[in-house]
Amino acid sequence: MIALTLEDLTRHVGGRLHLHGDDSPDTVVDGVLDTDSRLMEPGGIFVAKPGETTDGHLFIAAAREKGAVLAIVERMVDEPISQVVVPDAVDALADLARAVVAAVRASGDLRIVGITGSNGKTTTKNLLARILEDEGETVAPRASFNNEVGAPLTMLRVTRSTRFLVSEFGASAPGEIARLAGLVEPDIGIVLMVGMAHAGGFGGIEATFAAKSELIHALRPGGLAVLNADDPRVAAMAPLAEERGVDVRWFGRGDVAVQARNTEVTASGTACEVSVDGDTAPLRLRVLGEHHVMNALAAIAAATALGVPARVCIERLESVELAERWRMQPMGSDRVRIINDAYNASPDSMTAALRTLAQITAPHERMVAVLGAMSELGEYAGEEHDRIGELAVRLRIPRIVVVGSEARRLYLAAVAEGSWSDEVVFFGSPDEAYDYLVGELRDGDRVLVKSSNSAGLRFLGDRLGGYFS
């Protein structure tokens, strides 16, 4: 974070300053903010956020012992540390992020890119950050820091020398993207796709469209919207961009500014030809999955708009070995390959992962799909799990392992679609599935582990990867 006096920081968050020891209103703080006391560093600022299961105020002592010099709190705590009391710690984070980013923008050459979409945000963020980090100091979220806490914490990592801020905006309800993107008014907004992820919270696909459109409304006048031409709902955001006074840069597989042709998917990566404003060059991604080509195109579209030559973008993208842990992560060995993609799951990403499994498995190898529940689908959960079970059978996956009671509908749909005998099996827990799989898997198996985070299959994937390494 940029250096601020305690007085200025308190003013930005609308709080009351309570000093300790030798601190004064003119004392300067510039440490990293965090809500996790375990991640505190010397000079850091601890935000005591009440949570669903615990309360950050209980960990102020631990944060101080790790080096925190200031606590942002909702109530005073009897600890020897200066504290700023605010009505709401999460709102204070947002207010401080808005003020800090505005100050950096006013005094430097900061460019801000916001990314949203039902799938692919984290991968696109990582690909874009990899391109930009060689151009200048780049701040991007850790993991999937894209909510009301994670996004402001990322924004607060900017310094006076930061050239690029890449923000990822997730949401599970209307208005959340508007609130987060409104803190910084991005110069460039990337919309990847509008799908069924979080449809339960939004209330359907049209409401999801409206929520993702909030990023377009938050862009700075004169900015740029980077839109997926292959997604009709994303393409429908172009008139909104025009109303906002921003230009549109398209990416996709058709005749658009940034396009991909002749895509080939293998077990070692994905190759295609990329054309950027008429200039064509080959791209070979090490990241598994044809769907990641679109994420790469989005990153290239934004980076070239920021002045990075297309061939430089491609060269840097080809150096990326893994988009993110638990996202199409190869594990195991050549004997038994595990693909751990169990951090998030939606109908679209589940479909893409299953199709990738089919594409990268050679005729002499066996496909195995280990599938768990897709969360946050609300009233659509039943039919969407049915569809994935049916798809797995239609892709002729010979061994389908369904894990967890919330995914049982997927298992029943696969059985109804015509899966025979023990081709599809069901287990109530990851431990039961693990015991089955270590005895079932054999040389030449290619195993996809896919579910939402809440199903916990990412740890099953890790265990299988370790066992067969």
Side-chain angles (χ1 to χ4, degrees):
M1 189 183 76
I2 65 173
L4 292 172
T5 66
L6 291 179
E7 182 178 39
D8 286 341
L9 185 150
T10 302
R11 175 171 48 81
H12 289 320
V13 300
R16 301 189 316 275
L17 177 61
H18 296 264
L19 297 168
H20 174 76
D22 296 331
D23 286 348
S24 75
D26 294 327
T27 297
V28 174
V29 291
D30 59 0
V32 174
L33 283 85
D34 214 305
T35 59
D36 190 336
S37 61
R38 297 167 296 182
L39 301 179
M40 276 291 103
E41 299 175 0
I45 301 169
F46 180 62
V47 183
K49 180 183 75 70
E52 293 181 3
T53 59
T54 188
D55 186 344
H57 294 79
L58 301 175
F59 299 93
I60 291 175
R64 180 181 56 79
E65 291 172 2
K66 294 277 285 186
V69 298
L70 178 68
I72 297 176
V73 300
E74 294 184 4
R75 62 178 185 274
M76 282 290 294
V77 174
D78 186 17
E79 288 293 338
I81 186 173
S82 291
Q83 301 173 44
V84 177
V85 182
V86 296
D88 185 288
V90 174
D91 288 345
L93 262 180
D95 292 338
L96 188 57
R98 179 189 292 108
V100 166
V101 171
V104 173
R105 197 173 219 161
S107 63
D109 187 29
L110 178 65
R111 304 296 300 279
I112 301 173
V113 182
I115 303 171
T116 196
S118 298
N119 298 109
K121 296 183 293 297
T122 299
T123 297
T124 304
K125 171 262 298 184
N126 288 338
L127 296 177
L128 180 57
R130 174 62 194 94
I131 295 172
L132 296 178
E133 64 188 10
D134 288 344
E135 300 295 313
E137 182 180 305
T138 299
V139 171
R142 301 195 305 261
S144 292
F145 270 37
N146 61 23
N147 63 9
E148 62 180 0
V149 174
L153 286 176
T154 299
M155 297 168 188
L156 286 164
R157 287 168 45 211
V158 300
T159 69
R160 298 287 183 185
S161 58
T162 301
R163 280 196 62 195
F164 304 104
L165 168 62
V166 181
S167 286
E168 179 182 338
F169 300 126
S172 56
E176 293 180 5
I177 293 173
R179 180 175 184 268
L180 295 176
L183 299 177
V184 294
E185 290 191 325
D187 300 282
I188 297 176
I190 300 173
V191 185
L192 298 166
M193 65 179 301
V194 176
M196 290 297 293
H198 310 296
F202 289 122
I205 195 70
E206 294 307 322
T208 304
F209 165 81
K212 302 304 179 185
S213 300
E214 292 169 10
L215 177 57
I216 305 302
H217 292 291
L219 295 178
R220 302 186 86 188
L224 179 71
V226 174
L227 302 180
N228 180 357
D230 294 357
D231 187 316
R233 291 187 176 86
V234 175
M237 296 181 190
L240 304 179
E242 183 178 353
E243 293 173 8
R244 181 67 179 170
V246 303
D247 293 330
V248 173
R249 185 161 173 79
W250 297 101
F251 67 93
R253 300 183 186 279
D255 186 16
V256 293
V258 182
Q259 60 180 281
R261 297 189 296 263
N262 303 323
T263 300
E264 179 184 2
V265 181
T266 70
S268 60
T270 307
C272 64
E273 293 179 352
V274 173
S275 177
V276 182
D277 299 319
D279 183 18
T280 301
L283 167 65
R284 184 164 190 86
L285 287 172
R286 299 192 214 182
V287 181
L288 291 178
E290 183 176 2
H291 51 296
H292 289 311
V293 169
M294 295 299 284
N295 300 329
L297 293 181
I300 292 170
T304 50
L306 291 168
V308 184
R311 291 178 184 270
V312 173
C313 294
I314 289 172
E315 178 182 341
R316 293 172 185 170
L317 289 177
E318 290 182 334
S319 71
V320 178
E321 296 183 8
L322 179 66
E324 184 77 41
R325 186 182 180 191
W326 298 317
R327 288 176 171 83
M328 298 302 287
Q329 181 178 1
M331 307 179 77
S333 63
D334 289 338
R335 186 170 64 87
V336 177
R337 175 64 65 196
I338 309 296
I339 303 170
N340 195 349
D341 192 32
Y343 188 82
N344 272 322
S346 69
D348 294 304
S349 69
M350 188 78 83
T351 298
L354 287 169
R355 293 192 185 282
T356 297
L357 177 64
Q359 289 172 318
I360 68 174
T361 304
H364 65 282
E365 298 170 339
R366 182 176 69 157
M367 294 183 283
V368 179
V370 183
L371 307 176
M374 301 175 287
S375 62
E376 299 185 64
L377 291 175
E379 63 182 289
Y380 306 98
E383 62 190 73
E384 292 299 334
H385 282 89
D386 286 350
R387 189 171 66 81
I388 296 302
E390 294 162 0
L391 174 65
V393 175
R394 291 170 185 171
L395 289 173
R396 300 184 182 277
I397 297 175
R399 185 67 79 245
I400 304 167
V401 180
V402 182
V403 186
S405 59
E406 293 185 349
R408 188 171 181 82
R409 181 99 174 236
L410 191 159
Y411 163 75
L412 295 174
V415 172
E417 185 64 18
S419 189
W420 292 91
S421 184
D422 61 348
E423 290 177 347
V424 57
V425 293
F426 174 83
F427 297 99
S429 71
D431 286 342
E432 293 174 271
Y434 175 81
D435 292 339
Y436 166 79
L437 288 163
V438 295
E440 168 67 20
L441 298 180
R442 62 190 190 223
D443 287 3
D445 282 350
R446 298 298 176 254
V447 186
L448 170 70
V449 182
K450 180 69 175 173
S451 74
S452 284
N453 196 356
S454 59
L457 265 60
R458 63 195 189 281
F459 303 119
L460 171 61
D462 285 346
R463 292 177 70 189
L464 292 172
Y467 185 88
F468 289 103
S469 62

